[in-house]
Amino acid sequence: MTTDSIGNFGNMGQTRGTHGLWGKRKPPTPDDLIKKMDKDGNGTVSADEAKGPLAKDFSKVDASGDGQIDKDEMKKAMDTFRQQIQSGAGKGGPGYRLSPADLFKKLDTNNDGVLGSSEAKGPLAKHFGKIDTNKDGNIALQELEDRIKKLQSSSLKGNDDSEQNGAIGGTSSDGGST
């Protein structure tokens, strides 16, 4: 089981941001997830009731092979997922974030050591002017790292306004840009 395939079921209905995989909320318990999906009220999740990655990996989670995921099977799957996230396994899966240097390298398609406006994507493009602090028309790695540190610092201080709650340019907890 990998974080790429099963990981998302552990944060169904939760937010993600600088506060960790489940946002400011506590992580869901196995009971929480079962209650969310258990349409017939029998205390387990059948293949027909399973949603998202849990449906995709149903047979891997259903260790007993009885066609139902019970609390123990759900707990084991969630524990496996958390261990993979903590160990860094399944990089690229849920909860994984590129380091500033890795993000920079990935976006610097012409390998000139700076990000021009044509290389910036998503929130980085939208907030290019804020990140380009020396106003030279490019973003250097140091400027990107400084912006990320500033946002992380704001988040740790409890500043949760939409401008500074975790994304490079600031995004809302539902993933929409601000």
Side-chain angles (χ1 to χ4, degrees), residues 163-177:
E163 173 55 29
Q164 298 182 9
N165 70 351
I168 289 171
T171 62
S172 61
S173 61
D174 66 2
S177 60

Side-chain angles (χ1 to χ4, degrees), residues 30-174:
D31 284 332
D32 293 337
L33 294 178
I34 289 172
K35 285 176 188 173
K36 185 173 183 100
M37 291 182 268
D38 181 18
K39 300 299 179 199
D40 64 12
N42 69 350
T44 62
V45 177
S46 68
D48 290 338
E49 294 169 323
K51 304 277 186 225
L54 184 60
K56 179 181 174 190
D57 283 337
F58 189 88
S59 62
K60 293 177 185 175
V61 177
D62 180 21
S64 66
D66 65 356
Q68 301 288 321
I69 295 175
D70 62 26
K71 179 180 176 178
D72 291 335
E73 291 167 326
M74 185 72 78
K75 182 180 181 328
K76 183 177 179 184
M78 292 172 72
D79 288 346
T80 298
F81 167 67
R82 287 184 185 117
Q83 289 170 357
Q84 289 174 339
I85 291 298
Q86 290 170 353
S87 71
K91 286 189 173 180
Y96 176 73
R97 294 184 189 263
L98 289 172
S99 70
D102 288 342
L103 174 63
F104 192 88
K105 184 177 178 181
K106 183 176 181 173
L107 293 174
D108 186 15
T109 56
N110 65 3
N111 298 312
D112 65 354
V114 294
L115 299 178
S117 60
S118 64
E119 293 171 303
K121 307 289 183 226
L124 188 64
K126 182 175 180 181
H127 300 281
F128 192 91
K130 291 178 185 174
I131 303 166
D132 178 20
T133 56
N134 67 4
K135 305 301 180 199
D136 67 353
N138 294 300
I139 296 174
L141 176 57
Q142 188 63 54
E143 289 173 310
L144 179 61
E145 289 174 338
D146 290 348
R147 178 66 176 173
I148 291 171
K149 284 178 189 172
K150 179 180 177 184
L151 292 169
Q152 289 172 338
S153 175
S154 294
S155 177
L156 291 174
K157 291 177 184 173
N159 179 352
D160 209 18
D161 65 33
S162 62
E163 173 55 29
Q164 298 182 9
N165 70 351
I168 289 171
T171 62
S172 61
S173 61
D174 66 2

